[in-house]
């Protein structure tokens, strides 16, 4: 389990490194380089628009790779999705700017960001399932929290590279060529991830399904017919976590540097420190998920996110590094209470023959609602010289929506001594 979980963690870290490095570049440099005829605000919105394209592609990627995972195994998904994301990310670092090739530059950026999204859309389902279906049921949340470390590690790695370049290069050098280096580094990381994952064993649950002839012929059709309600509820339930994370990691970076005049190095350092502490909290929240259940942790995370929305904006608006860090940290701990357990929770909500598709589609649809829209909405509602309370209201509203969706989902923690209800049996097949 340690070897398997570590390989899953490494792969998700690499893929989310690819995804996050684009978000950081969108907040810092892509607007003026690829949309120079726009005003600063419009350029930032356009850059965040290309950022959002990746999220729109993620559900499509989960459908494509979910079909592969449910029909041909979880292991092929891990390798194919990693290769696709890695190649697209390296290519982003090679795209000439608008000054060199005109309108073709942002068009190429959109296409490559779309391919990035396809790959990441398949990654999560494969990595989580191959871990969950190997794990002992009483420690399933703990073991599946390893892949959930991946986004935090990828974020720290992406922003660490950007921070180092930002601190060592002049602004002109960074805007000229320095921003491309993190994208080129993705090629080396992707190659290492493929080599690491190549030796992984297939999920025993999938091998049982294949031997019994129980594989779904058209997984997406079955999910749409029999599990559409669960997919929509999980998408709504996870939206708050995405909204909070991308408010902190993407919109806050642009807001603090452009509106408050804080050095990008300082803001990146504050965000990275908060994400590091949040990552350390993940296994603790996972242990609580194994002990007390998946649903209570998810409800707690959504409630905490709603309550922390206004303090987050107030602390950010001060522009003081320590206070910004505390704001980011509170937000990170809140949504980690939810995201530490969902890697076990979502697969348990779907029967094994379609869970690669069902869990991944629900997870990635929430990324569209929470990840793609949040930087755009937050940028639009930010106005005037005071704190952007509109952003806080948006976050609190999304968190309450997610709280309601989680309340409608059943608990799935194994409880052999209790006889499950008919509804629970239908919605939450045993892993």
């Amino acid at each position: 389990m340690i070897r398997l979980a570590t390989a899953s963690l490494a792969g998700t870290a690499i893929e989310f490194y690819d995804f996050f490095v684009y978000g950081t570049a969108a907040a810092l440099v892509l607007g003026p380089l690829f949309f120079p005829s726009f005003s600063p605000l419009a350029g930032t919105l356009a850059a965040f628009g290309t950022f959002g394209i990746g999220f729109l592609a993620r559900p499509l990627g989960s459908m494509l790779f979910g079909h592969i995972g449910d029909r041909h195994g979880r292991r092929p998904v891990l390798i194919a999705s990693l290769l696709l994301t890695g190649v697209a990310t390296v290519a982003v670092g090679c795209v000439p700017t608008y000054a060199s090739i005109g309108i073709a530059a942002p068009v190429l950026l959109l296409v490559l960001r779309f391919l990035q999204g396809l790959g990441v859309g398949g990654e999560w389902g494969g990595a989580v399932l191959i871990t969950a279906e190997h794990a002992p049921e009483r420690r399933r949340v703990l073991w599946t929290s390893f892949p959930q470390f991946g986004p935090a590690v990828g974020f720290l790695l992406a922003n660490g590279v950007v921070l180092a370049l930002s601190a060592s290069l002049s602004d002109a050098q960074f805007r000229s060529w320095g921003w491309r280096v993190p994208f080129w580094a993705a090629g080396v990381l992707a190659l290492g991830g493929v080599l690491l994952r190549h030796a992984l064993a297939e999920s025993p649950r999938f091998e049982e399904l294949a031997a019994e002839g129980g594989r779904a012929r058209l997984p997406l059709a079955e999910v749409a017919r029999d599990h559409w309600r669960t997919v929509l509820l999980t998408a709504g339930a996870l939206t708050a976590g995405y909204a909070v994370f991308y408010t902190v990691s993407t919109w806050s970076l642009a807001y603090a540097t452009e509106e408050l005049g804080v050095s990008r190095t300082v803001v990146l350092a504050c965000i990275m420190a908060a994400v590091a502490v949040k990552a350390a909290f993940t296994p603790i929240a996972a242990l609580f998920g194994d002990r007390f259940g998946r649903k209570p942790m998810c409800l707690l995370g959504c409630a905490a996110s709603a309550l922390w929305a206004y303090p987050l904006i107030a602390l950010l608006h001060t522009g003081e590094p320590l206070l910004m860090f505390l704001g980011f940290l509170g937000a990170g701990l809140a949504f980690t209470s939810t995201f530490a357990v969902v890697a076990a929770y979502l697969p348990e909500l779907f029967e094994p023959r379609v869970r690669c598709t069902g869990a991944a589609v629900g997870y990635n649809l929430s990324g569209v609602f929470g990840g793609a829209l949040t930087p755009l909405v937050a940028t639009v509602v930010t106005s005037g010289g005071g704190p952007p309370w509109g952003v806080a209201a948006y976050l609190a509203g999304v968190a309450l929506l997610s709280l309601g969706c989680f309340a409608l989902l059943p608990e799935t923690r194994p409880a052999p001594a209790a006889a499950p209800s008919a509804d629970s049996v239908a919605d939450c097949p045993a892993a």
Side-chain angles (χ1 to χ4, degrees), residues 124 233-243 298 302 338-339 342 346 359 362-364 366-367 370 398 402 405-406:
W124 187 85
L233 285 176
T234 55
L238 296 177
T239 296
Y242 274 103
C298 293
C302 291
T338 295
F339 271 60
V342 295
L346 263 65
Y363 185 86
N364 286 295
S366 66
V398 171
S402 292
C405 290
F406 272 123

Side-chain angles (χ1 to χ4, degrees), residues 408-423:
L408 295 174
L409 288 169
E411 177 59 84
T412 61
R413 181 169 66 97
S421 67
D423 289 341

Side-chain angles (χ1 to χ4, degrees), residues 366-387:
S366 66
V368 176
F369 304 142
L373 295 180
T374 293
L376 291 168
V377 172
T379 301
V380 169
V381 301
T382 300
S383 61

